[in-house]
Amino acid sequence: MASRKIRASVTAFILAASIVPAVAADAVPKVVVDAVGYVGRPFADQDRDALRKPSEMVAFAKIQPGQKVADFMPGNGYYTRILAHLVGPQGRVYAFVPHGGANPQYVRDQIAASIKKGIAPPPRAVDAVIAIENVREYSNVMVIWEALTQYKGQFAVPDQLDAVWTSDNYHDLHTEALETPDVGAVDRAIFRALKNDGSYIVIDHAAAKGAGFK
């Protein structure tokens, strides 16, 4: 455990103007520039680049072509697409989506609340990355949809990983939807999934002073 490295970058994107980039823009490797600059990325993703600074963040993580990485709690796949182009056809990206299967009542309540408001229920968190997985140019993406608590914090992927990446969603491990009381167990499982020289990259919002896990 001690031999594994943690590269933790904790940032508040709502205060992006005050953030010092982890890597100077002119020091970003070309392979990262090409992955972020891929013309097929959704316009909505490209519009977020100024705030999220993907080139600098991915360069900081030192992820390389051919590596096997996990995008943990990938959201709409913003970084899944970038990482897939970066690691290339010889690499692999596991889009790991924890679900609230251990708390089915929460899901039912969400659906009931939407119906009461006369709106469509929210899509499943996994749907966005399944759509990516089904596109031929992202054939190196594999979606894993598991309930973390059901397996007592297990983080199971088919390969030992060079990196685990999570952006803007780590705090959700404390939410009712995922029902994950032992976040430390999840982290330990992630470390077990990493190679000895692997990296665990955590990017998240800065909480308001005194907010705790709220």
Side-chain angles (χ1 to χ4, degrees):
M1 188 73 71
S3 64
R4 295 191 172 103
K5 299 173 290 184
I6 303 178
R7 303 180 192 274
S9 177
V10 182
T11 58
F13 292 111
I14 57 172
L15 301 175
S18 65
I19 296 173
V20 178
V23 175
D26 60 358
V28 175
K30 184 179 184 300
V31 66
V32 175
V33 173
D34 290 345
V36 174
Y38 174 65
V39 295
R41 289 180 61 220
F43 290 134
D45 283 8
Q46 295 179 46
D47 288 343
R48 302 171 71 188
D49 289 350
L51 289 177
R52 303 195 76 174
K53 304 186 187 304
S55 295
E56 292 88 340
M57 300 309 297
V58 174
F60 170 75
K62 301 185 184 304
I63 294 171
Q64 305 290 327
Q67 289 188 336
K68 296 174 181 178
V69 304
D71 189 4
F72 182 41
M73 297 183 286
N76 69 351
Y78 175 95
Y79 274 112
T80 306
R81 294 181 179 89
I82 293 172
L83 294 171
H85 283 290
L86 175 57
V87 302
Q90 302 305 314
R92 172 70 85 174
V93 176
Y94 295 101
F96 193 106
V97 184
H99 67 69
N103 189 0
Q105 186 58 50
Y106 177 87
V107 177
R108 288 194 289 268
D109 290 346
Q110 290 281 89
I111 294 172
S114 297
I115 293 173
K116 186 176 180 179
K117 294 176 182 177
I119 60 176
R124 300 177 305 174
V126 73
D127 290 344
V129 283
I130 285 178
I132 295 172
E133 180 187 46
N134 288 333
V135 176
R136 184 172 61 181
E137 65 183 294
Y138 295 110
S139 60
N140 61 348
V141 173
M142 176 180 175
V143 175
I144 299 175
W145 193 33
E146 298 284 5
L148 293 172
T149 52
Q150 181 179 348
Y151 300 103
K152 302 186 186 302
Q154 179 175 331
F155 178 87
V157 291
D159 293 297
Q160 288 294 111
L161 301 172
D162 296 285
V164 174
W165 174 284
T166 182
S167 174
D168 286 4
N169 290 314
Y170 183 83
H171 59 275
D172 287 335
L173 290 175
H174 296 279
T175 66
E176 179 186 2
L178 295 181
E179 202 178 49
T180 311
D182 191 347
V183 177
V186 175
D187 287 333
R188 287 190 292 274
I190 287 173
F191 278 119
R192 288 194 294 271
L194 284 167
K195 296 178 181 177
N196 285 338
D197 60 349
S199 297
Y200 184 14
I201 302 98
V202 177
I203 308 166
D204 212 342
H205 306 279
K209 185 177 181 180
F213 290 126
K214 292 185 294 184

